């Protein structure tokens, strides 16, 4: 089943049901364009034979980046390097989609001291984020134009689809959450208003991309914060997205303040629901609720590790596409065999810092180092320590921001 093709509502067909979900690569060059390292990385990932590769955050605004090493697609100067990148990622007739994002308040001080956001609600995490300014009506409209412009350039640059990132606490997720969206205008208040930005972007992207070009959305099942974007609200937004005619819904969850996609595999995961641990994937319960009210194709990322379980959920129709991220970083040499059923279990390789203050940066730094090693043809290394990984991430971001990292 995992090797069977899947046709999206727009008419496009994925050659199999495995997708490399978005991973933060931090490998742009000094101009924010795809570097040689990034091209080499996707050249290697294309050999894994997944039917769909989704890029890490592609930013529509150079002043609001998730990382100083993000690729920025804001004007036509990026097209030559973009076409080289997409040609390598698509070399085996795979789909390659761009995950388009705007970081909003989750823009580090290294990139912008006072970022823009729905409301001036600051993210307090290791002192990395400044107090944001509330967007004006004109600035909200500029965000819409930015997403649409980037989507159009992505198609011209060789991507075969786009994914609108509305999860993990980035800008569109900030607009959806009542904790970060305190606005009283048509962009805030009711869920109808808080979802207006996302729905408007999808509608305008469809107008320029056409009916046959895949548009996906990555959406939180919940923020996992008291008073935040809830599961009930997410289900209501799913119905809105179906009405907008998207082609694939990727379900995720959490924000920088509650990194559920990291925590559930760590010590905190021991307290997770028994059914969640038993069924591997983090968001299966929510996906089943989506199935009851929507016919949207569903992709779940997070937790899938065994061949038999992937086959089971696909055969039952619980999901349509299996998303994986970390296995493509730590086990890329096994993915092709996994698709053939020759490797039954992709070991979950990661590190734990043992220190609450370092848990996010240590794990993030560990994967960042592995990604750079893959891009440079090196094997996976498990001897990167927690402290060294955390310091690497900070140094890497700083040097990228200063324009001194080798691209």
């Amino acid at each position: 089943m995992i090797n069977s093709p899947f046709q999206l509502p727009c008419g496009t067909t994925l050659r199999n049901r495995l997708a490399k979900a978005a991973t933060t690569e931090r490998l742009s060059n000094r101009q924010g364009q795809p570097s040689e390292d990034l091209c080499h990385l996707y050249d290697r990932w294309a050999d894994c034979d997944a039917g769909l590769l989704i890029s890490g955050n592609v930013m529509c605004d150079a002043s609001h980046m998730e990382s100083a090493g993000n690729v920025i697609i804001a004007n036509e100067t990026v097209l030559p390097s973009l076409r080289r990148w997409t040609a390598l990622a698509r070399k085996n007739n795979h789909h390659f989609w761009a995950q388009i994002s705007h970081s909003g308040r989750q823009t580090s001080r290294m990139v912008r001291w006072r970022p823009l956001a729905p409301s001036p609600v600051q993210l307090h995490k290791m002192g990395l984020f400044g107090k944001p300014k509330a967007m004006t009506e004109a600035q909200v409209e500029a965000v819409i134009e930015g997403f649409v412009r980037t989507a159009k350039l992505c198609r011209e640059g060789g991507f075969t689809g786009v994914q609108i990132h509305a999860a993990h606490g980035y800008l569109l997720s900030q607009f959806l959450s009542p904790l970060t969206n305190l606005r009283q205008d048509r962009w805030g208040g009711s869920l109808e208003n808080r979802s207006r930005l996302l729905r408007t972007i999808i509608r305008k992207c469809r107008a320029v991309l056409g009916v046959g070009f895949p548009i996906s959305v990555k959406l939180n099942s919940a923020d996992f914060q008291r008073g935040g974007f809830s599961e009930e609200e997410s289900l209501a937004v799913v119905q809105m997205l179906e009405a907008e005619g998207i082609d694939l819904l990727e379900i995720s969850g959490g924000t920088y303040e509650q990194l559920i996609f990291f925590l559930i595999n760590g010590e905190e995961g021991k307290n997770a629901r028994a059914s969640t641990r038993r069924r591997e994937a983090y968001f299966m319960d929510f996906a089943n609720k989506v199935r009851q009210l929507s016919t949207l194709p569903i992709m779940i990322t997070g937790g899938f590790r065994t061949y038999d379980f992937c086959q089971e959920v696909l055969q039952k129709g619980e999901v349509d596409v299996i998303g994986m991220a970390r296995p493509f970083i730590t086990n890329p040499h096994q993915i092709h065999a996994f698709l053939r059923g020759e490797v039954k279990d992709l070991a979950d390789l990661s590190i734990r810092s043992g220190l609450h203050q370092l848990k996010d940066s240590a794990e993030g730094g560990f994967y960042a180092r592995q990604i750079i090693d893959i891009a440079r043809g090196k094997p996976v290394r498990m001897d990167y320590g927690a402290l060294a990984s955390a310091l690497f991430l900070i140094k890497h971001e700083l040097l990228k921001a200063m324009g001194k990292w080798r691209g």
Side-chain angles (χ1 to χ4, degrees):
M1 188 74 180
I2 198 170
N3 273 301
S4 64
F6 180 69
Q7 187 176 58
L8 300 169
C10 64
T12 291
T13 299
L14 305 179
R15 59 185 292 187
N16 62 49
R17 308 293 190 96
L18 180 63
K20 184 210 79 70
T23 48
T24 296
E25 292 109 20
R26 302 183 175 91
L27 286 176
S28 69
N29 63 21
R30 296 179 184 180
Q31 291 74 44
Q33 299 176 351
S35 65
E36 284 301 304
D37 279 348
L38 186 60
C39 290
H40 294 159
L41 176 67
Y42 274 83
D43 186 28
R44 294 194 67 187
W45 276 339
D47 289 333
C48 294
D49 210 31
L52 171 63
L53 304 178
I54 303 178
S55 77
N57 285 285
V58 164
M59 312 311 293
C60 60
D61 182 343
S63 64
H64 287 82
M65 297 187 291
E66 171 264 348
S67 163
N70 291 147
V71 170
I72 305 160
I73 303 179
N75 57 60
E76 294 181 351
T77 60
V78 74
L79 287 177
S81 59
L82 207 60
R83 287 170 180 146
R84 170 167 165 71
W85 182 27
T86 57
L88 288 169
R90 296 169 54 193
K91 68 179 183 180
N92 294 325
N93 198 31
H94 308 118
H95 271 268
F96 184 30
W97 295 0
Q99 184 189 75
I100 306 176
S101 184
H102 185 299
S103 54
R105 73 170 189 156
Q106 287 182 181
T107 302
S108 80
R109 295 181 192 269
M110 298 179 192
V111 175
R112 181 163 177 160
W113 192 258
R114 293 289 305 275
L116 298 176
S119 302
V121 180
Q122 187 171 3
L123 171 60
H124 296 284
K125 197 171 183 70
M126 299 176 63
L128 293 176
F129 305 95
K131 186 175 179 61
K133 299 178 182 178
M135 288 180 167
T136 64
E137 177 79 18
Q139 288 166 335
V140 174
E141 293 291 346
V143 165
I144 297 170
E145 294 172 6
F147 269 88
V148 175
R149 178 178 60 251
T150 297
K152 184 173 181 291
L153 289 168
C154 285
R155 184 185 61 184
E156 294 175 9
F159 285 100
T160 61
V162 296
Q163 180 181 78
I164 307 301
H165 199 340
H168 298 174
Y170 297 117
L171 183 69
L172 301 185
S173 178
Q174 292 162 32
F175 268 89
L176 289 170
S177 173
L179 288 180
T180 49
N181 185 348
L182 310 179
R183 303 176 72 96
Q184 299 299 315
D185 58 7
R186 66 192 183 111
W187 307 104
S190 68
L191 182 61
E192 177 77 15
N193 284 351
R194 284 183 276 126
S195 64
R196 189 185 306 279
L197 179 57
L198 172 60
R199 291 183 289 111
T200 303
I201 287 169
I202 294 168
R203 199 171 301 147
K204 294 199 172 187
C205 282
R206 179 63 77 194
V208 300
L209 297 175
V211 295
F213 194 84
I215 297 177
S216 170
V217 170
K218 188 167 190 170
L219 183 72
N220 274 359
S221 59
D223 291 345
F224 300 97
Q225 292 177 275
R226 188 184 301 275
F229 185 61
S230 68
E231 186 174 286
E232 292 73 22
E233 289 186 322
S234 184
L235 288 170
V237 172
V238 168
Q239 292 177 297
M240 297 177 189
L241 295 178
E242 183 169 22
E244 296 296 339
I246 69 167
D247 297 292
L248 185 65
L249 172 69
E250 182 183 357
I251 297 170
S252 192
T255 68
Y256 276 20
E257 291 161 311
Q258 188 70 358
L259 292 172
I260 193 69
F261 40 91
F262 274 178
L263 300 184
I264 203 162
N265 264 355
E267 289 299 311
E268 296 86 342
K270 294 178 180 178
N271 298 319
R273 293 178 55 177
S275 62
T276 300
R277 294 197 304 271
R278 185 176 64 252
R279 288 171 57 76
E280 292 185 23
Y282 309 162
F283 306 109
M284 286 301 305
D285 291 342
F286 182 78
N288 289 330
K289 294 177 182 178
V290 171
R291 278 288 194 238
Q292 295 173 21
L293 56 83
S294 170
T295 60
L296 278 177
I298 296 174
M299 170 179 164
I300 292 183
T301 301
F304 288 110
R305 293 295 181 271
T306 66
Y307 179 83
D308 291 342
F309 181 67
C310 291
Q311 294 285 74
E312 174 190 329
V313 297
L314 288 168
Q315 288 168 353
K316 289 182 177 179
E318 294 179 280
V319 299
D320 301 296
V321 179
I322 302 292
M324 292 186 183
R326 282 177 287 191
F328 279 84
I329 301 172
T330 56
N331 314 67
H333 57 289
Q334 294 183 315
I335 301 294
H336 197 275
F338 180 86
L339 272 168
R340 297 195 302 265
E342 296 168 4
V343 170
K344 293 288 189 176
D345 188 354
L346 296 171
D348 189 12
L349 304 176
S350 60
I351 62 169
R352 304 296 169 196
S353 69
L355 297 172
H356 178 78
Q357 295 84 348
L358 285 179
K359 63 184 178 183
D360 298 342
S361 56
E363 189 154 358
F366 173 79
Y367 290 114
R369 297 177 86 174
Q370 302 293 357
I371 284 174
I372 292 171
D373 284 348
I374 295 171
R376 296 177 180 174
K378 299 177 182 179
V380 172
R381 289 182 54 180
M382 290 304 299
D383 59 348
Y384 290 136
L387 179 59
S389 293
L391 293 174
F392 173 85
L393 186 64
I394 295 170
K395 177 183 176 183
H396 182 84
E397 283 293 299
L398 180 60
L399 291 177
K400 275 288 188 181
M402 295 172 63
K404 293 182 178 179
W405 188 266
R406 182 171 71 87

